[in-house]
Amino acid sequence: MLNKCMLYIIFLVIFTTTVSSASQNIPEPTPSDTCPVCGMFVAHYPNWIATVLYQDGESHHFDGPKDLFTYLLDMKKWAQGRNAETIQSITVKEYYGLKQIDARTAYYVIGSDVLGPMGHELIPLAALEDAEVFMRDHQGKKIYRFSDIDKKILTTLNSGTFK
């Protein structure tokens, strides 16, 4: 059985070797698309959309980065019949520019006074400088990178107990 450290390393390798989303056409969610984690209608929250695009063209949309990471960190539960090796790109909506950016290159601020559709959220920003400004302006607690985010951080977001 693989230990937690080995599973984390495998997770990092898989998601750092996927194709960059900059060259991809990321589909927009339709009015009937629901988040596979919480069931909310994603198109109702256009400023928070996150997307996983698979190599076969199928996409899954999320109402925020928190649900995206919940999905990615437990694909066996949330993406039955899918696996990380077939992901073509992962995008999040950048907070200031409101454009889709590669989720793996984003900076994520937690613990701010900005709430997403499901409460406390990972706030994605394209550049470290933007994340630092956002953190100062919105009482953020910490900046994370894609590879830093784990189930413990998601639990912290859900409970509102930031460090």
Side-chain angles (χ1 to χ4, degrees):
M1 177 175 248
L2 295 173
N3 66 29
K4 186 177 177 181
C5 183
M6 286 301 295
L7 288 173
Y8 188 67
I9 290 169
I10 291 167
F11 175 80
L12 289 177
V13 169
I14 289 168
F15 288 113
T16 57
T17 58
T18 56
V19 177
S20 170
S21 64
S23 62
Q24 305 304 318
N25 290 325
I26 306 302
E28 292 291 326
T30 68
S32 63
D33 283 331
T34 58
C35 174
V37 173
C38 71
M40 290 175 63
F41 289 101
V42 177
H44 291 206
Y45 308 97
N47 295 346
W48 295 97
I49 295 171
T51 302
V52 170
L53 178 63
Y54 289 94
Q55 293 168 357
D56 66 4
E58 184 177 350
S59 58
H60 291 166
H61 302 286
F62 305 86
D63 59 318
K66 181 171 57 176
D67 280 354
L68 167 71
F69 280 99
T70 299
Y71 176 94
L72 293 174
L73 291 168
D74 193 356
M75 289 186 71
K76 186 174 180 180
K77 177 179 182 178
W78 301 109
Q80 293 178 4
R82 291 287 183 176
N83 60 61
E85 294 83 12
T86 62
I87 292 176
Q88 181 171 316
S89 63
I90 307 167
T91 61
V92 290
K93 188 74 67 103
E94 199 271 337
Y95 183 78
Y96 287 128
L98 295 178
K99 64 181 178 170
Q100 292 285 58
I101 61 171
D102 188 327
R104 293 161 313 211
T105 62
Y107 294 84
Y108 298 90
V109 176
I110 69 162
S112 74
D113 59 5
V114 174
L115 300 177
M118 297 283 292
H120 294 287
E121 187 60 82
L122 295 152
I123 308 299
L125 296 132
L128 178 58
E129 298 79 19
D130 292 339
E132 290 168 342
V133 168
F134 177 89
M135 200 160 89
R136 278 193 308 273
D137 291 350
H138 295 282
Q139 295 79 50
K141 302 297 183 223
K142 191 163 182 181
I143 299 171
Y144 289 99
R145 298 305 308 263
F146 182 90
S147 60
D148 298 326
I149 298 169
D150 59 17
K151 289 181 180 182
K152 183 178 178 182
I153 292 169
L154 298 179
T155 299
T156 299
L157 281 170
N158 288 328
S159 69
T161 55
F162 309 109
K163 296 181 180 185

